[in-house]
Amino acid sequence: MADPEEMQEEISVQDVTDDGEKVSSIGSAEVDLSKFETDNNKNFTIQSQVPKICEEEDCCLGIDEAGRGPVLGPMVYGVSYCPLSKNDELKAMGFADSKTLTEEQREALLKSIQDASDFIGYNVQILTPSYISSCMLGRTKYSLNQVSMDSAISLLRLAIESGAKIKEVYVDTVGDASKYQAKLQALFPTLDITVTPKADSKFPIVSAASICAKVVRDRVIQSWKFKEGTVSATDNYGSGYPSDPATKRWLSENVDPIFGFPRFIRFSWSTASNILEKKAAIVEWEDDDEEEVAKGSASLLSFFAPKNFDSRKKKHQFFEESGLTQLTTF
Amino acid sequence: MHRISGPARLSGRIVRNYPVPVSAVINMSVHVTSNSAFSSAASVHLLPCTILSNGPAKVDVFFTSNTQEDEVGLVSAFRGRELRGQTVFIPDGYKGIVLQELNRPFTEDQDRNVRISAKFNEFTYWNLQTPPSSQDKVTSALQWANLSSVIHAPVSDDDQDNSPTSIEFSR
């Protein structure tokens, strides 16, 4: 009879969609994005196995993000965690801020994180450009800071719910550090939370989280399947940062007059909307002037019936509510 | 070729078979040409916005390819904004047509030449973020077809004795 623990070890990476559906995949040094690629407009969460030691000992957890600034591609959030007792082993792995490392170094470090699956666990969430755009351009504004914090909170919650004994949390700040800290502390009163700028260079566990996030973002971008089919990921769109001339050129050359851009682009970025204003058809939405209308008060005249008003000519309420009017021309 | 010319008094009546009231005003004629080749069925989308442009659009490439269906209904996006949609069928006895006017006259009293370029029996109705419901104007407006045929139906002596005709609302 097979030992159940041994069987569990073979399954080292688990993919969990946002619907909570679990799919197991075998292999340690790879990031399986096949499930995500079936619908790359939808957010997706990758979850590692929780190391047994993390269920038994107090752990520290780091939170960081990759791809906050670019006008294209997803923003990826990552958390990683390990027992406090393994701090020396963690330091010895040579983590640093993911931005100061080369792509090869980051890939190698993710491999070593995955090889250390006996004491390091991680969760990564891919927030798609479609999701980011629709949040920021929604009827009620949902800011990027809010989106970021909610993603961080959901990943921390996921780590706790999957059984890791989290004690200390280190977070790279989004906006004002003290406000963010107070918010997290209120949600997780029993945790010891530190929110600080540049946390990824101060705490190895945050560096590990930033490497997980950055490698996943790079992989997603490299293998992005354009459903629009008009462009391919091999096209040179530069770094994706709005300040990059290659990115700007690519955006201006790939405008569709009606639809604007493929959904790989964050429509909510001013770089994107400025180009659309110049090169695409103007689009008017029903809620465009909602804010202005709400500000102003109704004209005094609107309280009186117009001079020639004949109430007998007034249409039945049904027609008004259905938006039906009679036409004599078109 | 249907010729609807003035001075006809069609105003105020919805002409059967046309969801768009085709009517005419005095001194102007509207010629509607129905090309036999127009059997091509158009896939029509009603968006919660106005696009200030008239002409072809790569709907399949940018829009249909990104449209998905979930528990609530159809979900897509336009210019980065989330859209929620549902398929709406044209009421019985009516037809959906796409009219095309190649040259619009400069003055209002000139004849207009309009061509039927495609037809449809259903269209996709999209709302911004909120899923479409029976409370929406479009679904409510289409109930008029059903309502109208009931209230305009001739009343026989038998009907007057019996209970009123029931009206079915689609929900």
Side-chain angles (χ1 to χ4, degrees):
Chain A
M1 227 165 79
D3 180 5
E5 260 182 43
E6 234 177 68
M7 281 177 67
Q8 235 180 6
E9 291 224 308
E10 278 180 16
I11 306 159
S12 56
V13 178
Q14 277 190 327
D15 296 339
V16 183
T17 66
D18 279 2
D19 306 330
E21 193 188 334
K22 287 194 177 188
V23 181
S24 303
S25 62
I26 296 167
S28 59
E30 53 188 70
V31 182
D32 184 7
L33 294 171
S34 55
K35 191 99 200 297
F36 166 69
E37 280 164 356
T38 59
D39 183 3
N40 60 19
N41 290 319
K42 233 176 165 180
N43 292 348
F44 186 75
T45 304
I46 298 168
Q47 188 183 3
S48 82
Q49 189 85 17
V50 179
K52 214 163 174 31
I53 191 169
C54 293
E55 293 175 355
E56 290 155 359
E57 286 186 29
D58 283 346
C59 293
C60 61
L61 177 142
I63 305 178
D64 200 10
E65 127 287 319
R68 193 178 149 77
V71 61
L72 46 80
M75 174 164 80
V76 178
Y77 251 86
V79 302
S80 65
Y81 52 92
C82 79
L84 290 163
S85 64
K86 295 278 186 185
N87 207 11
D88 291 339
E89 279 97 326
L90 191 69
K91 273 184 186 160
M93 290 170 79
F95 294 121
D97 176 3
S98 69
K99 288 177 199 79
T100 66
L101 300 167
T102 65
E103 193 178 335
E104 289 74 28
Q105 286 173 317
R106 289 193 300 263
E107 287 278 344
L109 281 168
L110 180 64
K111 175 90 168 76
S112 61
I113 290 170
Q114 290 181 334
D115 288 346
S117 64
D118 56 327
F119 72 98
I120 302 179
Y122 63 90
N123 302 324
V124 174
Q125 188 176 37
I126 301 166
L127 303 162
T128 66
S130 297
Y131 175 76
I132 295 169
S133 301
S134 70
C135 283
M136 292 174 74
L137 299 172
R139 275 184 194 275
T140 43
K141 296 289 160 268
Y142 184 24
S143 74
L144 189 66
N145 279 359
Q146 209 68 45
V147 171
S148 305
M149 289 179 192
D150 288 346
S151 174
I153 290 162
S154 76
L155 286 178
L156 172 55
R157 198 161 272 155
L158 180 63
I160 295 168
E161 279 167 7
S162 55
K165 256 177 94 179
I166 308 298
K167 188 84 183 71
E168 297 174 8
V169 176
Y170 300 90
V171 192
D172 199 35
T173 195
V174 166
D176 186 272
S178 57
K179 274 187 202 159
Y180 191 11
Q181 171 131 12
K183 181 178 174 163
L184 286 175
Q185 202 68 69
L187 284 168
F188 303 96
T190 59
L191 301 183
D192 185 356
I193 297 167
T194 309
V195 180
T196 167
K198 297 206 170 73
D200 49 348
S201 51
K202 291 176 192 160
F203 308 101
I205 198 67
V206 182
S207 312
S210 83
I211 283 156
C212 296
K214 179 71 176 147
V215 173
V216 170
R217 175 172 149 92
D218 287 348
R219 295 278 188 96
V220 169
I221 286 179
Q222 280 157 19
S223 63
W224 189 268
K225 302 239 181 340
F226 283 87
K227 288 193 184 156
E228 295 82 6
T230 48
V231 274
S232 77
T234 53
D235 285 2
N236 180 26
Y237 42 70
S239 63
Y241 279 93
S243 54
D244 187 338
T247 301
K248 268 192 184 165
R249 193 181 325 115
W250 187 85
L251 286 173
S252 336
E253 284 168 5
N254 285 282
V255 179
D256 179 86
I258 305 299
F259 295 94
F261 298 113
R263 288 176 66 176
F264 184 55
I265 305 302
R266 301 181 189 172
F267 284 76
S268 46
W269 257 237
S270 61
T271 318
S273 58
N274 288 343
I275 290 171
L276 290 187
E277 220 165 90
K278 280 184 216 130
K279 296 199 156 190
I282 296 166
V283 173
E284 290 167 352
W285 294 87
E286 56 191 20
D287 63 341
D288 271 352
D289 44 24
E290 228 163 52
E291 279 166 39
E292 284 160 45
V293 172
K295 267 184 230 156
S297 51
S299 155
L300 192 62
L301 285 172
S302 67
F303 293 104
F304 300 97
K307 241 185 206 167
N308 306 323
F309 184 76
D310 181 355
S311 63
R312 283 168 301 177
K313 277 187 186 163
K314 199 169 178 282
K315 286 276 172 298
H316 187 272
Q317 204 183 348
F318 172 82
F319 295 102
E320 259 173 44
E321 284 172 0
S322 309
L324 286 169
T325 49
Q326 292 177 347
L327 283 184
T328 50
T329 183
F330 68 139
Chain B
M1 180 162 146
H2 312 280
R3 189 187 153 96
I4 307 163
S5 62
R9 298 206 45 189
L10 284 170
S11 54
R13 275 176 56 200
I14 293 177
V15 179
R16 269 259 151 153
N17 295 330
Y18 295 103
V20 181
V22 177
S23 60
V25 289
I26 294 176
N27 296 333
M28 188 196 92
S29 316
V30 177
H31 307 270
V32 180
T33 325
S34 157
N35 191 330
S36 57
F38 90 95
S39 53
S40 70
S43 95
V44 176
H45 298 273
L46 183 63
L47 300 186
C49 60
T50 310
I51 305 165
L52 302 184
S53 170
N54 230 339
K58 295 174 185 161
V59 180
D60 287 341
V61 171
F62 283 92
F63 194 74
T64 316
S65 62
N66 276 303
T67 299
Q68 298 280 337
E69 192 160 12
D70 66 10
E71 322 76 57
V72 192
L74 297 167
V75 55
S76 196
F78 182 69
R79 296 274 180 109
R81 306 196 79 181
E82 190 196 331
L83 302 181
R84 289 268 165 190
Q86 92 180 11
T87 305
V88 175
F89 294 93
I90 305 294
D92 278 348
Y94 289 74
K95 262 180 202 162
I97 53 170
V98 179
L99 295 176
Q100 200 177 25
E101 185 173 40
L102 294 173
N103 298 302
R104 187 167 188 167
F106 295 108
T107 57
E108 283 199 353
D109 52 5
Q110 272 177 285
D111 283 8
R112 308 262 306 257
N113 285 297
V114 184
R115 197 170 64 89
I116 299 174
S117 62
K119 61 175 184 184
F120 55 97
N121 291 319
E122 56 176 66
F123 62 93
T124 318
Y125 162 51
W126 296 96
N127 249 351
L128 183 60
Q129 281 178 295
T130 17
S133 79
S134 57
Q135 305 298 308
D136 294 336
K137 279 190 176 179
V138 171
T139 14
S140 171
L142 287 170
Q143 287 177 357
W144 170 244
N146 194 356
L147 200 58
S148 154
S149 62
V150 173
I151 61 175
H152 289 127
V155 182
S156 69
D157 290 344
D158 294 348
D159 285 342
Q160 284 171 344
D161 301 334
N162 295 331
S163 54
T165 316
S166 69
I167 301 166
E168 267 182 50
F169 285 96
S170 59
R171 285 281 165 209

